[in-house]
Amino acid sequence: MKIAVEGCAHGELDKIYEAIQHLEKKDGIKVDLLICCGDFQATRNVEDLRCMAVPLKYQKMCTFYKYYSGEKVAPVLTVFIGGNHEASNYLQELPYGGWVAPRIYYMGYASIVNIAGVRVGGLSGIYKGHDYLKGHFEKPPYTEDTKRSVYHVRNVETFRLKQVQQPVDIFLSHDWPRGIYNFGNVNQLLRFKPFFTDEVKCNSLGSRPCEELLYHLKPTYWFAAHLHVKFAALVPHSSNNEEDNQQMTKFLALDKCLPRRKFLQIVDIPHDPSKSIELEYDLEWLTILHFTNHLLGVKRTNQYMPGPGLDGRWNFVPTKEELDFVWQRFDGNFLVPQNFTQTVVAFDSSSQNDSSNNSRNSCRKQPPAQINSQTTAFCDRLGIDDPMALLLNSSKESSFDSDENQKFCTTLPGYLTPERPGEVTQVSLDDTSYHDSVDDSMKQVLRKLLKYVVHLLTCTLH
């Protein structure tokens, strides 16, 4: 199976597909699958752009919306993970994966899927230690802080992936695994990217969770992006049996989609020729999701994964009985359903100019959170919770008494909120992430303070 691997897509789907078609014609080949390693930017309209963590002047619509609206159809099956420049509101609708457009599939926060006998795993986002232990508390509309924390990797996804025991052929991440540069031409890397020197010297460049997963999963291939440079490495893995051939991981990071940049690579990977190039759920991964559903958190507070020495179960490697249980729930049919539906109006290029330069679009607000029918169907089928549904239900339960207070939104100094210190942050009184970040006594203090601020503002206006 010939697979095209893309680094950072940055919304340039037209250009990526054109590059693939050029290679097909030039080399006389047929690409079966495109995989993208993050910064995909599945922006359907201007409101989605407002949910991306990039300055307004860089918020360009690019070409994904054409594939969402049906104006174009992806010429090859496309699978991607999330990075740190995404339409996070859209991707949050599909935490366990789903179709963002016909023939274009997002793998969710973390996932494993099967494609013609090739087992592909992925972890979305980038690692930031201060958010790693938190739940998935963010929901649109985002603050400037949560617009960034929403794409930070969480420990529950790493924990789930570390329960996987069956071999993984390909693993995708946006971040590089920490220390991967020690297994490639690090001198050449630093010639291209000299500002990485200090991080390489102190071994802090890259993701710690990805480093853990690299040595646990030991995939045959690991593809990444994020640092906007092509870099290859060969990672050896220890074996308990000295007679076995040493297992290796072939690592490749690629650049972003720009002219004269190394952003695309064709690899040939053995597959099952008796199977068609279609997406299938993975039984082991589904079983892990089902039996770790109770570990899902949607609060801003730290949550810790179970481990040895604690009461209760901490090893969730699926047993045969558990695998059989999930097999029966799916009736042995793991083909990913073609159930994509449009949920918002797509950008109309015929009536608007470039969204980043159009003053009429500059005041467009972020859209509210919503639930995706694909996720609802998947969760019902597997018997697990949708994080967004939990967040929206929690928001209703934690709303204040007065309807007027529920609608009120004011600006407070950063030190009065759980956001970044010293910044002015937008705080809504019905924001679950705000409520869950403080204890009950602090809620009462802040509630009184907010009412006092409202009173002062009212007096000032009159």
Side-chain angles (χ1 to χ4, degrees):
M1 177 164 60
K2 285 186 167 48
I3 300 176
V5 183
E6 162 67 36
C8 296
H10 287 296
E12 300 289 359
L13 274 186
D14 276 358
K15 294 178 181 178
I16 294 168
Y17 290 139
E18 287 169 8
I20 291 173
Q21 290 166 349
H22 170 75
L23 290 173
E24 287 179 327
K25 185 177 180 180
K26 173 177 171 287
D27 298 334
I29 61 173
K30 176 59 181 170
V31 171
D32 301 297
L33 173 69
L34 167 65
I35 55 178
C36 300
C37 300
D39 285 356
F40 189 80
Q41 297 183 197
T43 51
R44 303 162 293 180
N45 52 34
V46 177
E47 287 77 10
D48 284 352
L49 283 177
R50 301 298 173 256
C51 296
M52 278 177 44
V54 296
L56 186 64
K57 64 180 180 179
Y58 295 121
Q59 293 181 9
K60 297 182 181 295
M61 187 57 62
C62 297
T63 54
F64 168 78
Y65 74 92
K66 299 177 183 179
Y67 300 88
Y68 177 81
S69 67
E71 178 184 340
K72 290 187 174 184
V73 178
V76 60
L77 176 63
T78 302
V79 174
F80 74 97
I81 57 167
N84 58 310
H85 298 301
E86 303 289 0
S88 296
N89 60 312
Y90 189 22
L91 298 192
Q92 268 203 289
E93 295 178 19
L94 303 166
Y96 304 113
W99 302 102
V100 296
R103 305 196 74 192
I104 303 177
Y105 187 85
Y106 168 55
M107 292 188 68
Y109 291 134
S111 184
I112 295 178
V113 295
N114 291 296
I115 307 170
V118 177
R119 202 161 184 240
V120 181
L123 176 67
S124 292
I126 63 172
Y127 170 70
K128 293 293 182 182
H130 57 272
D131 286 322
Y132 184 60
L133 300 179
K134 296 175 183 175
H136 290 288
F137 65 89
E138 303 90 348
K139 64 178 176 65
Y142 305 111
T143 66
E144 285 303 308
D145 209 35
T146 58
K147 191 188 289 185
R148 288 159 177 78
S149 67
V150 68
Y151 55 70
H152 292 162
V153 171
R154 304 298 156 88
N155 61 345
V156 65
E157 274 75 47
T158 306
F159 179 83
R160 285 169 166 169
L161 285 166
K162 289 178 76 172
Q163 309 308 305
V164 173
Q165 300 297 306
Q166 297 173 18
V168 175
D169 299 299
I170 297 172
F171 196 83
L172 312 177
S173 67
H174 192 58
D175 265 344
W176 296 17
R178 187 182 67 164
I180 195 72
Y181 34 82
N182 295 319
F183 300 96
N185 192 335
V186 67
N187 293 326
Q188 184 184 64
L189 171 65
L190 295 179
R191 281 198 298 272
F192 284 117
K193 300 284 185 178
F195 41 86
F196 292 162
T197 301
D198 290 342
E199 290 176 276
V200 167
K201 285 182 177 179
C202 66
N203 197 34
S204 62
L205 181 66
S207 163
R208 292 184 181 183
C210 284
E211 181 184 25
E212 292 178 22
L213 292 172
L214 172 64
Y215 293 107
H216 172 78
L217 296 173
K218 304 176 183 178
T220 307
Y221 296 89
W222 187 301
F223 301 122
H226 190 44
L227 300 184
H228 296 168
V229 62
K230 184 175 182 179
F231 179 78
L234 195 60
V235 184
H237 298 290
S238 59
S239 173
N240 295 328
N241 190 343
E242 295 181 358
E243 296 180 358
D244 291 344
N245 292 327
Q246 189 172 39
Q247 188 176 356
M248 310 286 283
T249 293
K250 299 175 183 178
F251 174 85
L252 179 65
L254 291 165
D255 208 331
K256 60 181 174 180
C257 181
L258 283 174
R260 295 179 295 278
R261 302 286 277 270
K262 298 175 181 179
F263 63 87
L264 194 68
Q265 180 86 25
I266 306 294
V267 295
D268 203 346
I269 294 179
H271 71 291
D272 186 344
S274 67
K275 294 185 177 182
S276 58
I277 310 297
E278 294 182 290
L279 272 175
E280 292 184 311
Y281 295 123
D282 183 83
L283 176 59
E284 184 184 28
W285 179 250
L286 293 179
T287 307
I288 292 168
L289 280 183
H290 177 86
F291 287 98
T292 60
N293 181 62
H294 64 288
L295 300 178
L296 173 67
V298 293
K299 293 189 176 183
R300 196 173 193 141
T301 52
N302 288 353
Q303 57 174 20
Y304 298 92
M305 295 298 106
L310 298 177
D311 293 336
R313 182 178 179 180
W314 57 270
N315 184 342
F316 288 89
V317 173
T319 65
K320 182 182 183 303
E321 291 74 19
E322 290 170 341
L323 291 167
D324 290 342
F325 173 78
V326 174
W327 176 281
Q328 292 172 10
R329 288 193 76 105
F330 279 71
D331 294 324
N333 178 14
F334 298 101
L335 192 66
V336 176
Q338 301 289 333
N339 56 354
F340 165 76
T341 56
Q342 293 184 29
T343 54
V344 299
V345 177
F347 177 74
D348 183 0
S349 59
S350 64
S351 62
Q352 301 186 60
N353 296 322
D354 187 339
S355 59
S356 63
N357 297 320
N358 192 322
S359 60
R360 290 179 299 172
N361 290 329
S362 63
C363 61
R364 293 282 186 92
K365 295 182 179 180
Q366 297 181 35
Q370 65 177 19
I371 293 172
N372 194 293
S373 60
Q374 291 184 68
T375 300
T376 301
F378 177 80
C379 290
D380 290 346
R381 193 176 181 187
L382 186 56
I384 60 176
D385 293 314
D386 175 4
M388 186 56 68
L390 294 178
L391 280 169
L392 294 177
N393 288 335
S394 176
S395 180
K396 292 176 183 177
E397 293 170 2
S398 63
S399 59
F400 283 154
D401 302 332
S402 165
D403 290 339
E404 183 179 354
N405 274 346
Q406 291 178 28
K407 298 176 183 177
F408 178 73
C409 187
T410 188
T411 300
L412 292 177
Y415 63 83
L416 294 179
T417 76
E419 309 299 332
R420 191 175 301 162
E423 291 187 356
V424 175
T425 306
Q426 199 76 5
V427 178
S428 174
L429 297 191
D430 62 354
D431 188 342
T432 306
S433 64
Y434 172 68
H435 289 305
D436 291 340
S437 63
V438 291
D439 58 26
D440 291 337
S441 60
M442 183 61 75
K443 285 182 185 178
Q444 295 298 323
V445 173
L446 291 176
R447 182 177 177 181
K448 292 178 181 178
L449 180 58
L450 287 172
K451 288 183 176 180
Y452 180 67
V453 171
V454 173
H455 174 72
L456 288 178
L457 288 173
T458 303
C459 293
T460 303
L461 289 174
H462 285 83

